[in-house]
Amino acid sequence: MSADVPASVPGPQSAERTRSDGRLHAAIFIVLGAFLLIAPGLFYPFFLMKLLCFALFACAFNLLLGYGGLLSFGHAAFFGSASYVSAHAAKIWGLPPELAILTGTLSAGVLGLVFGALAIRRQGIYFAMVTLAFAQMIYFVALQAPFTGGEDGIQAVPQGRMFGFIDLSNMTTLYYVVCVIFMLGVLAIYRIVHSPFGQVLKAIRDNEPRAISLGYRTDRYKLAVFILSATLAGLAGATKAIVVQLASLTDVYWAMSGEVVLMTLLGGMGTIFGPMAGAAIIITMQNYFAGFGAWVTVAQGVVFVIAVLAFREGIVGIIAKWLRRPL
């Protein structure tokens, strides 16, 4: 904001409401953390790790769409490219898992900088189409480049030892490492959303001309949130490559971008916990209904139609509306 624009001062009721919402969110995070601690005794750890990776991916996408107001149809580019870079770094370069994940995450951030600087020059459907075009370029590179393995992808990615002593070949140990990465990623998103930067993002999303009139350079904020979203999506993709021990064309295919949009809208766009719920529903359907083959996609379509007609704010969004509390 420009220096000559006075900041609004919240009243006592507003401040108390904010503290109350903060306590509610803290309680939800504590319950979520407690559930993740006992979850391996209830569900198969590999399924849980896959779910957490996609939940982080959906939360990263929601940062861009739900709070930045920017619809990307090409977020698989960051998820998938980080997956390939992380897998390549671990298998070919021999980097330990923490450096492989970091390398993949940083590569997604750099890609987000390049793509974002070009994409934010357009708005609306044109922005979405530009991001889709960039994602298809990454898909073509993944298909043709010799180091990606083509249609076979990068297989048998070593999990190794994190920091030299945490053995990731043990599934339980790997699960808790993924839990820590997921929680750190989600908490980072929560902090971004509730920072002054996040408040400006919401203002730009709701009324960009007014934000410009107040002195904000909106393009800089859009580029910043695009990079942050791409980086966190890359963290999800890089972690998934270590968990699954595979980086494949599925990670960069346009359908992956569609899935993350579905997860976000189903759970609740513009909510902190909505994308997690959406990812849980979609990944659970894919895992437990895999025996039905292509009918899983049909079922997802039916669920999406029902959600759009009955829960336009998403599942968590409608709960937040009933409670009259932000979730």
Side-chain angles (χ1 to χ4, degrees), residues 39-323:
L42 304 174
F43 304 97
Y44 186 47
F46 183 81
F47 161 71
L48 291 172
M49 288 187 285
K50 182 180 177 182
L51 192 158
L52 290 176
C53 290
F54 278 100
L56 179 57
F57 183 27
C59 289
F61 177 76
N62 182 56
L63 180 62
L64 181 68
L65 176 60
Y67 296 100
L70 300 173
L71 174 59
S72 169
F73 282 154
H75 240 52
F78 313 116
F79 181 83
S81 62
S83 178
Y84 272 104
V85 172
S86 177
H88 186 82
K91 184 175 183 178
I92 307 302
W93 296 343
L95 295 183
E98 69 275 10
L99 291 183
I101 292 173
L102 179 62
T103 303
T105 303
L106 292 177
S107 68
V110 173
L111 200 63
L113 171 62
V114 176
F115 286 1
L118 298 173
I120 62 170
R121 299 172 185 268
R122 295 292 179 264
Q123 295 182 347
I125 191 63
Y126 302 104
F127 172 86
M129 290 297 101
V130 168
T131 57
L132 177 59
F134 285 146
Q136 288 302 100
M137 290 169 53
I138 296 299
Y139 175 81
F140 179 78
V141 171
L143 180 63
Q144 299 294 332
F147 67 89
T148 62
E151 294 183 355
D152 295 327
I154 302 177
Q155 304 179 24
V157 178
Q159 293 172 328
R161 291 179 175 270
M162 181 169 280
F163 304 114
F165 65 92
I166 302 177
D167 185 10
L168 299 188
S169 62
N170 183 293
M171 185 168 291
T172 303
T173 302
L174 178 59
Y175 166 76
Y176 286 114
V177 168
V178 173
C179 281
V180 171
I181 294 173
F182 167 75
M183 290 299 292
L184 289 176
V186 172
L187 289 172
I189 292 171
Y190 183 84
R191 184 67 188 92
I192 292 168
V193 168
H194 291 86
S195 68
F197 172 79
Q199 300 306 311
V200 175
L201 281 181
K202 296 174 190 176
I204 295 172
R205 174 198 64 191
D206 295 337
N207 194 330
E208 185 173 353
R210 185 177 182 184
I212 293 174
S213 71
L214 291 174
Y216 293 108
R217 297 185 177 182
T218 57
D219 282 351
R220 292 188 178 183
Y221 284 91
K222 289 180 181 179
L223 178 58
V225 73
F226 195 98
I227 295 171
L228 288 170
S229 179
T231 302
L232 289 164
L235 176 61
T239 304
K240 176 180 174 291
I242 300 299
V243 169
V244 183
Q245 296 184 279
L246 171 69
S248 67
L249 291 175
T250 304
D251 298 332
V252 291
Y253 193 47
W254 66 266
M256 182 65 72
S257 297
E259 274 192 17
V260 76
V261 173
L262 175 59
M263 292 174 186
T264 303
L265 296 180
L266 181 60
M269 180 182 69
T271 65
I272 293 294
F273 305 101
M276 304 179 203
I281 293 171
I282 297 301
I283 298 303
T284 300
M285 290 178 63
Q286 292 177 351
N287 185 74
Y288 290 101
F289 297 161
F292 293 100
W295 285 102
V296 176
T297 305
V298 176
Q300 289 179 4
V302 172
V303 169
F304 181 64
V305 171
I306 294 174
V308 169
L309 294 177
F311 306 100
R312 298 191 64 178
E313 297 89 350
I315 296 172
V316 173
I318 200 68
I319 295 174
K321 186 177 180 180
W322 289 339
L323 296 176

